[in-house]
Amino acid sequence: MRIQVARSSMPDFAEYCQEIQGLWDSHWLTNNGEKALALEAALQAYLDIPHAVLFSNGHLALEAAIRAMGITGEVITTPFTFASTTHALVRCGVTPVFADVRPDTLTLDAGAIEALITERTTAIVPVHVYGNFCEVDAIRRIAEKHHLKVLYDAAHAFGATHEGSSAAAYGDAAMFSFHATKVFHTIEGGAVTCASEALAEALRLERNYGITGPESTVSVGGNAKMNEFQAAMGLCNLRHLDEELAKRRRVCAIYRERLAGVAGIRLLPMPQTGNHAYLPVLFEGGQATRDEAFARLAAQDIYPRKYFYPLTSAFACYAGRFDPAQTPIALQASESVLTLPLYAGLADADVHRVCDILLAQEG
Ligand SMILES: Cc1ncc(COP(=O)(O)O)c(C=O)c1O
């Protein structure tokens, strides 16, 4: 049977049906519906943050945050990320300036930020890659010193904590993705969290055309509202989050037991307070070894992802605009990484099978 890198967790059919039943009475399917409001409240409590503004997906949440925060000019960010982070900046008319990543966590290297700050820099947009936290204290200090905003791409980080706090606690705002393959999902969906009421209001305007009342439109917002069916899925999945995290932790433990210390393979540190969102493996033999492992798994109908390859700075759509060689650690990571199949329902035997195939190659 085919094994993909991810498989969406789903609540029992009956539980979801019960959650959406009331919609057949209310006929209220979107626009601040009961389910969306309940999910916002639940997420605010879970993440311990005053505002969680829901969006139809994480990417539009990120674009809305960039606009609502007034981020312009240049932004220091990482190329070792999903297309969304870089595309969101570029689509909002902002110039990404790429700093390299740390070799141990593959998150933005705080030590590389200051040298890239110019008078056009307005913000830092780091990514909690694979759910591993960035150097949040160092980034805050740099931002304060240079009067920069910090917007975290926390797409991967729901369910993880750092020194007892969720990813919502760091930066001026954080964006979470609730895409179907995430640890917690709303089919498609996302949220921006923040402490500032003014920013939350600006985000709500971005989400709904800048409309403040039946006869009042105050800004040129778009449409990125989460609908009630998405929010209902979120309410169900939130109830099962602990179970989801425990199952993922178990899968990761088997992988780590089998792969830790194997010559030619490097695992990233995985804190117990992490969310076990991804299982990245770096092949010290580089791209050829990585691609050979990928092909060997694919031949057995097992599909890991080269996540993140290529760097966003190497995308065809940005040809001639950025130089991937300027972030050598990120470049090397992108050429040597595979993220292995990881989801709550992945059977122990299948995890062992993936490891057997990888170890046969390495041996
Ligand atoms: C790092 C990162 N940022 C942003 C996004 C965009 O989120 P979405 O897929 O919900 O639009 C993703 C999606 O997986 C992501 O991995």
Side-chain angles (χ1 to χ4, degrees):
M1 203 184 68
R2 172 173 294 215
I3 300 176
Q4 305 278 13
V5 71
R7 196 183 69 169
S8 301
S9 289
M10 292 171 84
D12 280 346
F13 185 55
E15 184 180 349
Y16 185 65
C17 287
Q18 196 182 346
E19 195 64 53
I20 60 174
Q21 199 167 10
L23 302 177
W24 267 257
D25 299 323
S26 70
H27 289 246
W28 189 305
L29 304 186
T30 186
N31 290 69
N32 288 325
E34 189 192 327
K35 301 294 170 191
L37 293 177
L39 184 59
E40 283 190 341
L43 293 175
Q44 283 158 197
Y46 178 77
L47 296 167
D48 193 19
I49 189 81
H51 304 285
V53 181
L54 286 173
F55 284 86
S56 52
N57 62 62
H59 180 80
L60 288 176
L62 200 52
E63 288 196 7
I66 292 165
R67 292 204 180 88
M69 290 169 74
I71 293 174
T72 56
E74 293 174 6
V75 158
I76 298 176
T77 187
T78 169
F80 190 75
T81 184
F82 187 57
S84 174
T85 321
T86 304
H87 282 2
L89 291 165
V90 173
R91 286 165 59 84
C92 291
V94 176
T95 303
V97 175
F98 294 113
D100 212 344
V101 298
R102 289 174 57 99
D104 53 352
T105 57
L106 306 184
T107 58
L108 188 68
D109 181 354
I113 294 174
E114 283 195 280
L116 298 172
I117 296 173
T118 71
E119 72 275 7
R120 295 195 68 225
T121 312
T122 63
I124 308 171
V125 177
V127 181
H128 298 305
V129 182
Y130 306 132
N132 288 331
F133 278 72
C134 297
E135 298 171 275
V136 287
D137 296 327
I139 289 170
R140 180 178 41 75
R141 280 194 295 273
I142 295 165
E144 280 172 3
K145 182 171 155 198
H146 297 274
H147 309 290
L148 303 176
K149 291 166 183 147
V150 180
L151 167 59
Y152 276 104
D153 180 335
H156 298 179
F158 193 89
T161 58
H162 172 73
E163 294 176 353
S165 299
S166 78
Y170 303 101
D172 297 288
M175 181 284 290
F176 294 86
S177 164
F178 304 145
H179 180 258
T181 55
K182 298 290 190 284
V183 169
F184 164 75
H185 77 86
T186 59
I187 309 171
E188 290 272 3
V192 179
T193 56
C194 61
S196 155
E197 167 56 30
L199 178 54
E201 186 50 26
L203 288 163
R204 290 182 206 112
L205 292 175
E206 282 295 332
R207 181 176 68 178
N208 190 28
Y209 304 108
I211 293 172
T212 52
E215 298 181 11
S216 165
T217 299
V218 298
S219 62
V220 191
N223 177 10
K225 300 185 296 292
M226 177 178 281
N227 71 52
E228 290 291 273
F229 290 86
Q230 290 172 282
M233 181 62 91
L235 287 168
C236 292
N237 284 338
L238 202 53
R239 278 181 214 125
H240 301 287
L241 183 65
D242 287 346
E243 211 179 306
E244 171 79 22
L245 291 171
K247 286 180 179 169
R248 286 173 167 271
R249 187 175 303 121
R250 177 188 161 81
V251 171
C252 287
I254 302 175
Y255 271 130
R256 294 188 77 80
E257 197 183 304
R258 293 287 312 272
L259 301 176
V262 170
I265 283 182
R266 185 161 75 83
L267 300 174
L268 296 188
M270 222 184 217
Q272 273 310 303
T273 55
N275 62 353
H276 308 282
Y278 299 89
L279 201 299
V281 169
L282 292 145
F283 290 85
E284 279 162 353
Q287 192 161 7
T289 322
R290 188 272 307 269
D291 290 352
E292 196 194 328
F294 182 90
R296 196 177 280 237
L297 287 165
Q300 303 291 323
D301 226 12
I302 298 170
Y303 297 94
R305 282 281 302 271
K306 297 175 190 176
Y307 202 45
F308 302 101
Y309 174 81
L311 295 181
T312 62
S313 53
F315 282 178
C317 57
Y318 297 129
R321 211 166 148 180
F322 308 114
D323 179 7
Q326 282 184 346
T327 55
I329 298 169
L331 185 59
Q332 197 192 14
S334 78
E335 289 171 350
S336 59
V337 71
L338 273 190
T339 54
L340 302 180
L342 169 56
Y343 46 88
L346 188 60
D348 292 6
D350 286 330
V351 183
H352 283 293
R353 203 151 66 85
V354 173
C355 293
D356 289 344
I357 295 165
L358 285 175
L359 294 176
Q361 184 194 23
E362 287 308 305

